[in-house]
Amino acid sequence: PTLEGRWRTLAWPGRYTTGDKRADARRINTELRTISRLIVDPRWRGLGVGRRLIRAYLDAPLSPATEAVAAMGTCCPGFRAAGMTEF
């Protein structure tokens, strides 16, 4: 995950911004995973495939916290549909 995510203070207030950049970076890299890409073949879009893929990961995550940075989140609401909170 990116170390300087401005959204992170809204999502997890104080958890990853203690003022000690080294400790924050170590904690981010240990506790946080980022879904950076979700690509669904155009033939399968609109059928809930993306939502189900995201939900499958969130049901058995590899870390205590997961984030997704979605530049097109408003027109592709799969993350929200899968249960993630928008910030």
Side-chain angles (χ1 to χ4, degrees):
T2 180
L3 296 178
E4 300 295 330
R6 291 178 284 159
W7 60 88
R8 204 168 283 131
T9 56
L10 296 170
W12 295 286
R15 184 162 186 86
Y16 301 110
T17 52
T18 64
D20 181 343
K21 288 192 174 228
R22 279 183 167 241
D24 292 344
R26 193 170 22 260
R27 188 172 210 178
I28 287 169
N29 286 320
T30 301
E31 296 182 0
L32 188 60
R33 293 293 176 268
T34 301
I35 300 172
S36 58
R37 297 275 190 279
L38 177 66
I39 300 169
V40 177
D41 186 300
R43 296 172 293 177
W44 297 97
R45 290 182 189 158
L47 300 175
V49 173
R51 177 189 50 79
R52 288 194 302 268
L53 287 170
I54 296 165
R55 190 70 252 161
Y57 175 78
L58 294 176
D59 286 343
L62 299 175
S63 62
T66 302
E67 67 184 16
V69 181
M72 295 179 59
T74 18
C75 43
C76 301
F79 295 108
R80 192 176 336 109
M84 296 185 86
T85 303
E86 189 174 334
F87 288 95

